[in-house]
Amino acid sequence: MAELSRLPGPVMDHWEWQYKGACREVEPATFFHPEGERGSARRRRDEAAKAVCGACPVLQQCRDHALAVKEPYGVWGGLSEDERSAILNPALRRAG
């Protein structure tokens, strides 16, 4: 579950970047895997999501947000769940 206590309050200045996201024009299922999705299907979906992120003008804000709140699901800021976990947990980086 996302760390909600880390979320900024409901001030528009904190969230306005989301209106500029390239993902707003794409089906949300592109960024969030269905239960049980694995292997090549998951890799292809993640790659499609990351391609959208790659052309996004707010990629860094999105990535910073996802890391700050420890977003547990989906592709955010061009990073998958596993990639964010590795960044946030140095022990996972050494093990991988």
Side-chain angles (χ1 to χ4, degrees), residues 28 35 41 58 69 77 82 90:
E35 190 169 338
V58 293
V69 301
D82 293 339

Side-chain angles (χ1 to χ4, degrees), residues 31-54:
F31 299 91
F32 299 95
H33 67 83
E35 190 169 338
E37 181 185 56
R38 290 182 174 73
S40 62
R42 187 164 179 174
R43 275 191 304 280
R44 283 192 304 273
R45 189 196 39 73
D46 280 350
E47 288 169 4
K50 289 176 182 185
V52 173
C53 295

